[in-house]
């Protein structure tokens, strides 16, 4: 195998620095220099210089009281910069798969494009008999609970630019007919922080929807589960809401929304 052969282009100093950073783990979050030296394969003087360099660059932080080291903010920044460069579908796909498995409900990710929502990822529950939407499906934002959640961080001026007429387009049963009625629903959704849409768009199908935030605190997408019933069962409501909320927080953290990640 290629990775089992020695590489003649290695930079020894960089290799040693990365070896030392890799010594930190969940079991070794705070290490003295002596402990670090025992965990890495390098001379003591070299290890000392590597530690000093990494501390100077912010990749290690020293606790003056305990004289121990831990990973510094620059290590975290590198991770967040990379992960936040990925799109919502990339980081969200494994999360909605976990959500599907824990909730036993089909799960979706959607974003807003003007007055439409677009499904960007989906996974079906085992044995699901609901007619599933496919990736790329577009629906009017004002007709669905996912769309309402996507509207929660726009201003009144942006909302009226999006819907310039007092009468909303379409005639889907159950959808709001007037712009003001939709605005009031969206404000209630925003204050609540989530939407439980019980047969809102399609009779016999309910959904639980939470927002996903980007690093600037804007609603980047929404995550939902689809519950095949007119109402989310009261016995499962709290558990299901909590599972969707945790999944939303996880993806938000991946996108660099630090308050959610922490």
């Amino acid at each position: 195998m290629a990775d089992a052969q020695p590489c003649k282009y290695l930079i020894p100093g960089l290799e040693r620095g990365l070896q030392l950073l890799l010594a930190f783990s969940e079991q070794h979050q705070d290490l003295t220099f002596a402990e670090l030296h025992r965990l890495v394969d390098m001379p003591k003087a070299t290890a000392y210089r590597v530690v000093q360099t990494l501390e100077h660059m912010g990749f290690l932080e020293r606790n003056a009281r305990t004289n121990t080291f831990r990973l510094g903010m620059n290590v975290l920044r590198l991770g967040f910069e990379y992960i936040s460069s990925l799109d919502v579908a990339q980081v969200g796909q494994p999360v909605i798969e976990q959500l599907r498995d824990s909730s036993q409900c089909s799960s979706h990710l959607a974003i807003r494009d003007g007055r439409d929502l677009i499904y960007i990822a989906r996974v079906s529950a085992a044995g699901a008999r609901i007619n599933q939407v496919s990736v790329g499906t577009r629906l009017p934002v004002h007709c669905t609970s996912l769309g309402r959640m996507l509207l929660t961080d726009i201003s009144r001026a942006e909302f009226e630019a999006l819907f310039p007429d007092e009468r909303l387009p379409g005639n889907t049963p159950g959808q709001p007919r007037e712009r003001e009625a939709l605005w009031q629903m969206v404000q209630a959704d925003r204050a609540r922080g989530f939407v439980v849409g019980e047969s809102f768009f399609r009779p016999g199908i309910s959904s639980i929807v939470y927002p996903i935030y980007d690093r600037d605190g804007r609603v980047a997408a929404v995550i939902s589960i689809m519950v095949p019933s007119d109402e989310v069962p009261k016995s499962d409501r709290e558990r299901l809401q909590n599972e969707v909320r945790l999944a939303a927080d996880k993806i938000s953290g991946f996108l660099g929304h630090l308050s959610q990640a922490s």
Side-chain angles (χ1 to χ4, degrees), residues 94-201:
V95 179
I96 63 172
E97 290 174 2
Q98 294 168 2
L99 177 59
R100 181 265 319 273
D101 294 342
S102 63
S103 67
Q104 298 299 301
C105 295
S106 299
S107 182
H108 308 83
L109 291 173
I111 59 173
R112 183 172 69 86
D113 180 26
R115 297 203 300 190
D116 290 342
L117 73 86
I118 306 174
Y119 287 91
I120 59 171
R122 58 169 284 267
V123 288
S124 299
R129 292 186 297 272
I130 300 172
N131 184 23
Q132 296 283 347
V133 295
S134 58
V135 172
T137 296
R138 286 176 174 262
L139 294 173
V141 288
H142 67 286
C143 293
T144 68
S145 51
L146 287 80
R148 281 164 41 195
M149 199 76 244
L150 286 165
L151 292 171
T152 53
D153 75 340
I154 68 173
S155 67
R156 180 68 191 238
E158 291 171 322
F159 178 79
E160 292 187 355
L162 205 59
F163 299 103
D165 300 323
E166 293 185 6
R167 186 80 173 172
L168 295 174
N171 57 0
T172 302
Q175 76 168 64
R177 303 294 186 190
E178 304 294 333
R179 181 179 64 185
E180 185 61 27
L182 176 63
W183 174 254
Q184 294 303 324
M185 293 176 74
V186 169
Q187 297 317 296
D189 297 335
R190 179 180 183 179
R192 190 186 313 107
F194 63 90
V195 177
V196 177
E198 297 180 310
S199 294
F200 180 71
F201 178 66

